Amino acid sequence: PSKHRNTWWLGVSLMILGEVGNFAAYGFAPATLVAPLGAVSVVANAVYASLMLEEEFRVRDVFGTLLVIMGGAGLAYTSPRKEAKLNSATLIAYIFSDIFFIYAGLLVLMYVCIISVSRRYRSRFVAFDLALCAILGSCTVLATKGLSVSLRMTVMAEENAFTSGITYCLIAIMVLTASFQIRYLNRAMSNFGTSQVVPVYYVLFTLASVVGGIVLYREFAQLVTWRISAFFGAVVVTFLGVHLITSDRPPPERRFAVEEDEEGGGLGGASRLEGVMV
């Protein structure tokens, strides 16, 4: 069983460590910077798949990796240099502001509209389930950002955030939205290939998270126009890099079938499949 393999445990351990680091990053950096830099994981997946699973690292993957690096550098350069100092009182004021109420209302309206038609179209168009993922994902990011900042303030003895009810609300929102997000993402993966799901999901999730960070946490309030334009230009470059890395890959079943025919037997293909599933 895969759970008894050292590689599987190593992968799970690294994934947990990465998520802990991602959570901590929201406490020290703007959400508009952290969310787009998730593209680095796409590059890492392509490299690890090549090294450990012997998948082909194509020429287009090299160009895609370079674009992601360029986009990441652009994001780091053009993102906000500092944020407004957050505490429980400031966070509550942001949440109950008029602009965030309008934004939250639009999210709810979009969610309801997509849900009402998704049963009919979700098996034909990948964007329906992934749009639901993006809406919920933006809520997860906003809650994670607030919670991470609260934990940072508590650890640094700036404020005991756990005396405020808003902290527990953020925990509930983060858990609920992340749970439903996984459900919709799994459904999209069951209907479409990874090469379709990954780039569309990354684009929609990043856009939703960036807009949410701008609206709730006022992260672009101190930026001049050229920096904002350059920031979104860097986001587009990153999108292109992710598209190059994830697109035009044969689905696993077809790739295994081809290898089986070339090797002249079914055993090699079955062994190959098992290795990818780990």
Side-chain angles (χ1 to χ4, degrees), residues 225-240:
T225 304
W226 77 264
R227 275 191 177 273
I228 296 174
S229 301
F231 176 89
F232 282 104
V235 170
V236 171
V237 171
T238 308
F239 287 167
L240 292 175

Side-chain angles (χ1 to χ4, degrees), residues 53-115:
L53 304 178
E54 300 179 7
E55 293 187 7
E56 180 186 5
F57 196 76
R58 307 162 301 172
V59 174
R60 66 184 299 149
D61 295 334
V62 175
F63 286 109
T65 299
L66 291 175
L67 286 175
V68 169
I69 292 172
M70 290 171 56
L75 289 169
Y77 179 74
T78 58
S79 63
R81 289 286 182 268
K82 59 181 180 178
E83 303 177 88
K85 188 174 179 60
L86 285 177
N87 53 39
S88 298
T90 305
L91 186 56
I92 291 172
Y94 282 171
I95 291 173
F96 287 95
S97 64
D98 291 341
I99 187 170
F100 185 70
F101 269 114
I102 294 172
Y103 171 76
L106 289 174
L107 284 186
V108 171
L109 180 61
M110 290 170 58
Y111 185 85
V112 171
C113 290
I114 294 172
I115 280 285

Side-chain angles (χ1 to χ4, degrees), residues 4-261:
H4 295 307
R5 298 192 175 196
N6 293 334
T7 303
W8 189 87
W9 284 112
L10 176 62
V12 171
S13 301
L14 290 175
M15 183 178 68
I16 293 173
L17 181 63
E19 290 305 316
V20 170
N22 192 49
F23 178 83
Y26 282 106
F28 296 92
T32 49
L33 174 61
V34 177
L37 287 180
V40 175
S41 66
V42 178
V43 175
N45 286 341
V47 174
Y48 292 150
S50 175
L51 295 177
M52 302 181 68
L53 304 178
E54 300 179 7
E55 293 187 7
E56 180 186 5
F57 196 76
R58 307 162 301 172
V59 174
R60 66 184 299 149
D61 295 334
V62 175
F63 286 109
T65 299
L66 291 175
L67 286 175
V68 169
I69 292 172
M70 290 171 56
L75 289 169
Y77 179 74
T78 58
S79 63
R81 289 286 182 268
K82 59 181 180 178
E83 303 177 88
K85 188 174 179 60
L86 285 177
N87 53 39
S88 298
T90 305
L91 186 56
I92 291 172
Y94 282 171
I95 291 173
F96 287 95
S97 64
D98 291 341
I99 187 170
F100 185 70
F101 269 114
I102 294 172
Y103 171 76
L106 289 174
L107 284 186
V108 171
L109 180 61
M110 290 170 58
Y111 185 85
V112 171
C113 290
I114 294 172
I115 280 285
S116 64
V117 299
S118 66
R119 184 180 295 272
R120 183 183 304 175
Y121 297 109
R122 68 191 181 205
S123 61
R124 294 164 52 194
F125 301 101
V126 68
F128 279 90
D129 277 335
L130 296 184
L132 296 174
C133 283
I135 292 171
L136 294 172
S138 67
C139 297
T140 305
V141 166
L142 297 180
T144 301
K145 167 73 176 177
L147 184 60
S148 184
V149 170
S150 298
L151 287 175
R152 186 199 69 192
M153 291 189 301
T154 303
V155 170
M156 294 183 173
E158 297 176 8
E159 174 187 343
N160 185 1
F162 289 95
T163 60
S164 174
I166 192 65
T167 301
Y168 300 97
C169 291
L170 291 175
I171 293 173
I173 291 171
M174 183 180 68
V175 172
L176 285 174
T177 55
S179 300
F180 279 98
Q181 186 183 353
I182 292 171
R183 174 190 174 189
Y184 293 129
L185 185 58
N186 285 338
R187 194 164 69 186
M189 292 291 289
S190 68
N191 291 325
F192 302 92
T194 305
S195 62
Q196 290 176 279
V197 171
V198 172
V200 175
Y201 170 70
Y202 175 75
V203 169
L204 294 178
F205 169 79
T206 300
L207 288 176
S209 300
V210 167
V211 172
I214 293 171
V215 172
L216 178 58
Y217 294 111
R218 318 289 203 271
E219 292 182 346
F220 279 12
Q222 306 297 323
L223 292 188
V224 294
T225 304
W226 77 264
R227 275 191 177 273
I228 296 174
S229 301
F231 176 89
F232 282 104
V235 170
V236 171
V237 171
T238 308
F239 287 167
L240 292 175
V242 171
H243 173 72
L244 284 178
I245 293 172
T246 58
S247 62
D248 289 339
R249 289 186 180 274
E253 295 80 9
R254 197 181 83 191
R255 204 163 55 228
F256 301 142
V258 170
E259 289 174 3
E260 235 178 83
D261 292 340

